[in-house]
Amino acid sequence: MWDDSFPSFLIGLREGLEAGLVVSVLVATLVRAGARSRLPQVWTGVLAAIALSMSFGAVLTFTAASLSTTAQEAFGGALSIVAVAFVTAMVFWMRRSARSLAGDLKEKVTEALTMGAGVLVLTSFLAVGREGLETALFLWTTARAAKESAGPMAGAGAGLVLAALLCWGLYRRVLRINLTRFFTVTGAVLVVIAAGVLGYGLRDLQEGAVLPGATVYAFDLSGSLDAGSWYSTLLQGVLNLTPTMTWLQAAGYAGYLAVVMTLFVRGVRDVPAAGERVATTPPRPDSAPVAQTVGPAPARRRRLLPVTIVAVVAVPALLAGLVVALAHPKPAAGETVAVSEADCGRGFTAPEPGRQDFRMHNTGNQTSEVYLIDPSSNAVYGEIEGLAPGTTRDLYATVAGGTYAWRCVPADGKAVTSKAVRVGGAAGAHAVAPVSERDLAAPLKAYRAYVNQGLATLVTRTRELSDDIRAGHLDTARADWLTAHRTYASLGAAYGTFEDFDQKIDGRPDGLPGGVHDRGFSGFHRIEYGLWHGEPAAGLKGAAQQLADDAAGLRKAFPHQDFDPSDLPLRAHEILENTLQFELTGDTDQGSGSGLATADANLAGTRELLAVLRPLLTPRAPRLLPTVDADIARLQKLLDSAHHGTGWTPVDRLGPAAKARIDGATGQLLEDLSPVPDLLEIRKSA
């Protein structure tokens, strides 16, 4: 989408042009000095800087993926603040340094020519690396704000390509660009975009419980603006302005914009005051500078710069106001209904049959959930979660003949059901039958029995693995390792209940200071690394015995651990979500190449979980399970094709077509499983 691509396009263009100009100056200086043979040293430094930037982006991505949801919000928010700081510093640095950039670089290159090759490599690496790291960080934050990477990456790619073409044109003397004006205008736009990133980062820190005020809203326009409309999407994608913002978000956004833009405009006024303007000339073999000074600038142009900057801020604000005032709002709500423990459903009258829009207004002092229900069966026609005090949100539901009421559930209060109203006409509105902890008691009991049995098998198999290693039978140990690990992987829905045992038994080395050699690295993957990297049996005895002891400890502790019934429907989706993220990317592989074997065990665990949930799912979504069963059969067939006797094809040795088919089948299964948590959500009743 263009709205998600534009900020990244701008950062790619600007940072790419900065880096490209640096490279152009380095190359032109060497050519002018008759040192063409030293050019490979420049390109070595440039390629090293690019590799560092890409590695930095990968580290950010994988670090965030390994954190809990709350920690991800805090991590992303903190990096958004850092990105804003970097972009702000870059904008002011380039405005200040553009005039002397070429001269400074020429001086460094001239000094480097008298020294070894490493100095020239380091000069180009440092010159380009800063822009690369800034680009990687800003792209990561914008992709996270957009909740997808395709748009931001496409925008950044387009910006970098255009920057490369512009630099080539400047070098070949086919273009003339006033770089001072370019960096001034794009700098002002980036200040506006950075204000939005700051607001988004503050909101992430609130949701990550680092900052307070997550439910204290400065405004809530969700009742009059459609968050899914093109204009709302545009404002949110480009400026990070959302229909609902907290006071901290709004204050951070406005405060940053007021302070930084004022300083930026003041600096722009000061730069031309010396009576000069910058006219860009291309770097040539016989003329290295990127920019040079020429005659006095007309006063009219000096006055136009701050006007341009003000316009950059004023135009988006004016467009946002016009969108709010003139854009077609969502369909008019039929009525406003109160949500609170004291007056739940006040204002609710019998609606007309058909699609209805109810404006739900929280009149209480607690965040609440609200459901439109059939009071005779408690079936749910529509719901809103997390309705903050004093806010209004729309609830859409299709109404047909029948009886309707509202159920209000304050966060720390008693659920209240409103007076029921009767709607005439034929029945036919779709409702989801409610689920209680009592409904999930039987599936939970059955699944606990399955896990208990699996843990007993796990204890036996980890002991066999330990005995193999103690006896020095490493070939047998490799086969028994896979059998034991698949046993553990098939218990996926209980991972959240295993508490600290899961990290001890199946933890990865990610985040450990010493990586695979860290003393805290234990369990299956520690033994896997040793077995497939030639470690002698003596070095693995302790880890194998510890794994057997941890498995026995887990079996003993599990009957006394809390198993939240709501975890069952959640894990129906999460088991394979983790499989797609870790096993099917090879992220967990420590040498055995058994990612697909583990995926197969995870699929078996999902199948077992769905079996115990089937009695609840079938009446609520009759078409769901047949579709899911077909998805499972398709994925199982693909996994079986990678199973050869006792061996499995490693993920990194799959052909592109086979890998795409497995990923696609897993993704389709995940999509079809996604309604399960909502269908079986435990809802508080009156």
Side-chain angles (χ1 to χ4, degrees), residues 615-668:
L616 296 178
L617 288 170
T618 300
R620 289 170 173 80
R623 300 180 181 178
L624 175 64
L625 286 177
T627 301
V628 167
D629 289 341
D631 291 341
I632 290 176
R634 180 166 56 253
L635 178 56
Q636 185 67 68
K637 184 177 180 180
L638 291 171
L639 292 174
D640 288 344
S641 67
H643 186 196
H644 313 288
T646 59
W648 293 77
T649 302
V651 171
D652 60 2
R653 295 184 188 175
L654 286 172
K659 178 68 165 60
R661 283 193 294 268
I662 291 176
D663 288 346
T666 307
Q668 183 61 55

Side-chain angles (χ1 to χ4, degrees), residues 157-179:
L160 291 171
V161 169
L162 179 57
L165 293 175
L166 291 176
C167 288
W168 180 86
L170 290 170
Y171 186 83
R172 304 301 300 177
R173 302 187 65 189
V174 297
L175 285 177
R176 291 180 62 86
I177 300 175
N178 189 317
L179 290 182

Side-chain angles (χ1 to χ4, degrees), residues 11-37:
I11 199 72
L13 174 61
R14 185 183 169 100
E15 295 278 15
L17 191 55
E18 286 186 32
L21 291 174
V22 167
V23 174
S24 297
V25 171
L26 293 175
V27 171
T29 304
L30 289 174
V31 171
R32 183 183 181 189
R36 289 180 178 270
S37 61

Side-chain angles (χ1 to χ4, degrees), residues 554-576:
L554 174 58
R555 183 191 179 191
K556 182 179 179 180
F558 179 71
H560 309 290
Q561 292 175 329
D562 291 332
F563 199 140
D564 190 341
S566 62
D567 276 353
L568 285 180
L570 284 174
R571 298 302 166 83
H573 183 270
E574 289 180 350
I575 296 173
L576 290 176

Side-chain angles (χ1 to χ4, degrees), residues 260-271:
V260 175
M261 190 61 78
T262 299
L263 294 175
F264 189 80
V265 171
R266 183 178 300 169
V268 170
R269 287 175 174 170
D270 293 342
V271 169

Side-chain angles (χ1 to χ4, degrees), residues 167-246:
C167 288
W168 180 86
L170 290 170
Y171 186 83
R172 304 301 300 177
R173 302 187 65 189
V174 297
L175 285 177
R176 291 180 62 86
I177 300 175
N178 189 317
L179 290 182
T180 295
R181 186 175 303 168
F182 171 83
F183 286 122
T184 298
V185 174
T186 57
V189 177
L190 279 177
V191 168
V192 177
I193 292 175
V197 174
L198 175 63
Y200 179 83
L202 292 174
R203 179 59 178 168
D204 270 355
L205 290 175
Q206 289 178 312
E207 293 179 351
V210 176
L211 295 176
T215 59
V216 183
Y217 295 102
F219 57 84
D220 184 356
L221 302 179
S222 58
S224 56
L225 287 178
D226 184 355
S229 63
W230 66 268
Y231 51 85
S232 182
T233 302
L234 185 64
L235 290 176
Q236 183 169 343
V238 177
L239 303 178
N240 264 302
L241 289 172
T242 58
T244 303
M245 295 182 72
T246 65

Side-chain angles (χ1 to χ4, degrees), residues 84 87-88 190-192 194-196 198 251-261:
V84 170
V87 169
T88 305
L190 279 177
V191 168
V192 177
L198 175 63
Y253 191 106
Y256 173 89
L257 199 58
V259 173
V260 175
M261 190 61 78

Side-chain angles (χ1 to χ4, degrees), residues 16 128 155 163 165 186 201 234 255 388 401 534 540-541 550 566 581 583 596 660:
V128 177
L165 293 175
T186 57
L234 185 64
L540 292 172
K541 286 181 181 179
D550 288 335
S566 62
Q581 183 178 0
E583 275 73 33
L596 295 182

